[in-house]
Amino acid sequence: TTHISLLLNLLRVSVAKIHQFYEKVFRVKPVLDEHVTLIKDLAKSIEVDFWSPENAEQVTAGTDVDIRVPAIYLDLVYTMLQQSEMEHEVLIEDVQRAVDGQADTGPSPRAHSYTKYNTWSVIESWIDSIASSNANLVSKQSIGNTYEGRTMTILKLGKKSSSSKPAIFLDCGIHAREWISPAFCQWFVNEALTTYGSDAQMTSLLDQMDVFVLPVFNVDGYHYTHTNNRMWRKTRSRKSGSSCIGADPNRNFDAGWCTLGASSNPCSDTYCGATPESEIEVKNVANFIRKNKSVIKAYLTIHSYSQLLLFPYSYTYDLAATHNELMSIAEGASSALRSLYGTRYTSGPGATTIYPAAGGSDDWAYDLGVKYSFTFELRDTGRYGFLLPESQIKPTCEETMLAVKYIAAYVQKNLY
């Protein structure tokens, strides 16, 4: 492999940052330790965007690796794959075409739509109108501002009550490029409001409990994926001493912070941040959950992609104290989800089901005492990855709704 590293050295050139993606997404299948080493070396030498797992450290033999490769490195990567005889396939032939092809249901209207990927400004006005037109069931509250000064707003869904009610916390859009995630939070809110009074389960849920919904967690990053770079993942914070921007909000919570599956390099996509809760968005959410700890009984966070329903722990291989209960809820929720379109989800603790990753919001909430803590990784399994077409928003949200309602019903029956 020495001639490969020679090639790599020759190719250490900086790429002009025009975000036109003439690139491919490969799925490579490392089966030998030397394959793993090769992928890690490649990642050190050129700009490779890890789609799954989330960074080079998490690559292991026997697990597929999805990577996005810039056009100028394609020849190099093909050469490396051929010489190493590593099995591989091309998942996305032309990333730019897939980016353009997301809107496969026609051009995006300026108006809000539940079956489109809405921009932040459209979501923001949707939040205002949803709250004002459903005053009997919805109130909105700001939990603070983002790094770039945008407002983080929580929608509180539930029948108004004079006494405090137990609650479920749901957030979407921790990672900017996972566009299907905020789409689900919007869908959930709409579904709750339109079926309240007719659907017995939803009515009972909102009568007895509140649901706090944060439609977009990483607002700055989400906005940036619509204006500058569709593949952005992190926040948009700046740190003195580095020209690289942002930290991974899902590595920035105070749960085994920066020990496993996270990076202390500010340029990494899984940078854990300068300190736990260094990212203002994370601090705002953590403060809200701490403040409402006595009422919050469940924490649900929505990501993509992989079709997984995960629960603690991710920062350790140790099983959670309530592992068996969490596993049975996850299995029940997955089978509810599967009942609609046959979509298969895998359930389990984060560390063993995908890979160890410290500083995640679900582990943090669980350790805080929120007993029912789950992370969804929505569709798909890599055909489109983060670039899931808009035609899949409706079926994805419909089936995910069944899983979320299953968990909510369980929590409602098992309050503590």
Side-chain angles (χ1 to χ4, degrees):
T1 55
T2 45
H3 51 290
I4 291 179
S5 46
L6 206 74
L7 266 171
L8 292 176
N9 286 328
L10 287 172
L11 270 166
R12 280 183 203 194
V13 290
S14 65
V15 193
K17 291 275 186 294
I18 325 157
H19 289 293
Q20 279 292 88
F21 301 98
Y22 304 110
E23 320 174 325
K24 295 185 190 300
V25 175
F26 290 89
R27 170 162 290 172
V28 298
K29 302 170 186 257
V31 288
L32 308 171
D33 288 344
E34 60 206 63
H35 292 161
V36 173
T37 308
L38 208 55
I39 294 168
K40 290 183 176 181
D41 287 348
L42 181 75
K44 285 194 191 86
S45 327
I46 65 170
E47 288 178 55
V48 186
D49 174 17
F50 281 84
W51 280 25
S52 176
E54 294 174 314
N55 62 27
E57 289 69 57
Q58 293 164 333
V59 174
T60 52
T63 304
D64 292 355
V65 177
D66 299 350
I67 47 171
R68 178 172 62 91
V69 178
I72 59 159
Y73 300 127
L74 287 173
D75 289 348
L76 168 78
V77 170
Y78 274 122
T79 305
M80 181 201 94
L81 288 169
Q82 275 150 8
Q83 287 176 351
S84 64
E85 295 181 346
M86 206 184 321
E87 202 192 321
H88 63 279
E89 59 183 300
V90 176
L91 286 182
I92 301 180
E93 285 288 354
D94 178 344
V95 174
Q96 188 60 47
R97 246 182 69 201
V99 168
D100 299 338
Q102 277 203 279
D104 64 348
T105 54
S108 290
R110 279 264 172 268
H112 180 272
S113 166
Y114 290 106
T115 52
K116 292 276 180 196
Y117 294 124
N118 301 297
T119 61
W120 171 243
S121 62
V122 169
I123 294 172
E124 197 170 28
S125 43
W126 168 83
I127 290 172
D128 292 342
S129 72
I130 268 289
S132 57
S133 55
N134 298 274
N136 56 325
L137 282 176
V138 188
S139 61
K140 61 170 198 167
Q141 87 179 82
S142 160
I143 59 165
N145 287 351
T146 64
Y147 182 84
E148 293 180 336
R150 295 180 179 88
T151 310
M152 293 175 72
T153 307
I154 281 186
L155 289 171
K156 177 185 177 181
L157 312 182
K159 190 177 153 193
K160 299 280 185 285
S161 154
S162 49
S163 54
S164 84
K165 295 159 71 188
I168 293 169
F169 187 97
L170 167 68
D171 68 52
C172 291
I174 279 187
H175 291 136
R177 62 189 178 184
E178 299 167 8
W179 283 9
I180 187 62
S181 169
F184 176 73
C185 269
Q186 292 162 72
W187 187 278
F188 177 87
V189 169
N190 184 51
E191 191 74 7
L193 298 177
T194 52
T195 63
Y196 179 82
S198 58
D199 177 273
Q201 192 202 326
M202 188 60 83
T203 307
S204 150
L205 175 69
L206 296 183
D207 282 349
Q208 292 184 24
M209 297 186 76
D210 290 323
V211 184
F212 295 118
V213 181
L214 179 59
V216 185
F217 185 120
N218 177 9
V219 185
D220 296 347
Y222 184 71
H223 175 74
Y224 192 75
T225 59
H226 281 269
T227 57
N228 291 63
N229 177 354
R230 178 63 185 82
M231 295 302 155
W232 191 258
R233 167 185 167 92
K234 300 189 285 181
T235 60
R236 295 293 303 163
S237 59
R238 288 156 197 275
K239 185 170 156 286
S240 57
S242 172
S243 60
C244 289
I245 290 175
D248 182 341
N250 212 36
R251 300 289 187 281
N252 191 237
F253 282 83
D254 197 359
W257 181 75
C258 220
T259 50
L260 283 171
S263 170
S264 50
N265 171 7
C267 301
S268 163
D269 254 349
T270 50
Y271 174 47
C272 60
T275 54
E277 297 179 24
S278 59
E279 303 313 288
I280 186 65
E281 298 83 0
V282 170
K283 188 178 266 322
N284 290 342
V285 169
N287 282 340
F288 179 86
I289 294 175
R290 276 190 287 260
K291 194 173 85 207
N292 293 282
K293 181 183 164 222
S294 60
V295 297
I296 295 176
K297 303 301 174 188
Y299 172 80
L300 306 177
T301 180
I302 313 291
H303 289 256
S304 78
Y305 62 98
S306 282
Q307 296 173 196
L308 302 167
L309 183 41
L310 307 171
F311 49 84
Y313 283 107
S314 286
Y315 73 79
T316 172
Y317 286 107
D318 296 346
L319 296 185
T322 54
H323 173 84
N324 292 347
E325 185 184 12
L326 292 172
M327 188 59 145
S328 90
I329 300 167
E331 297 282 11
S334 295
S335 96
L337 185 153
R338 187 165 65 244
S339 71
L340 193 56
Y341 296 111
T343 309
R344 297 198 162 270
Y345 269 58
T346 304
S347 319
T352 51
T353 308
I354 35 173
Y355 36 70
S361 62
D362 53 350
D363 284 357
W364 173 82
Y366 183 79
D367 281 349
L368 186 71
V370 180
K371 193 162 135 192
Y372 302 112
S373 180
F374 295 93
T375 295
F376 282 80
E377 293 281 355
L378 302 186
R379 290 192 191 181
D380 53 10
T381 53
R383 167 69 184 84
Y384 295 102
F386 303 119
L387 304 176
L388 196 69
E390 287 180 336
S391 55
Q392 289 195 42
I393 295 175
K394 182 176 186 281
T396 302
C397 290
E398 288 172 337
E399 67 193 9
T400 306
M401 215 47 225
L402 298 179
V404 169
K405 283 174 79 172
Y406 179 94
I407 295 171
Y410 184 95
V411 173
Q412 200 182 333
K413 285 198 287 282
N414 295 275
L415 291 171
Y416 55 95

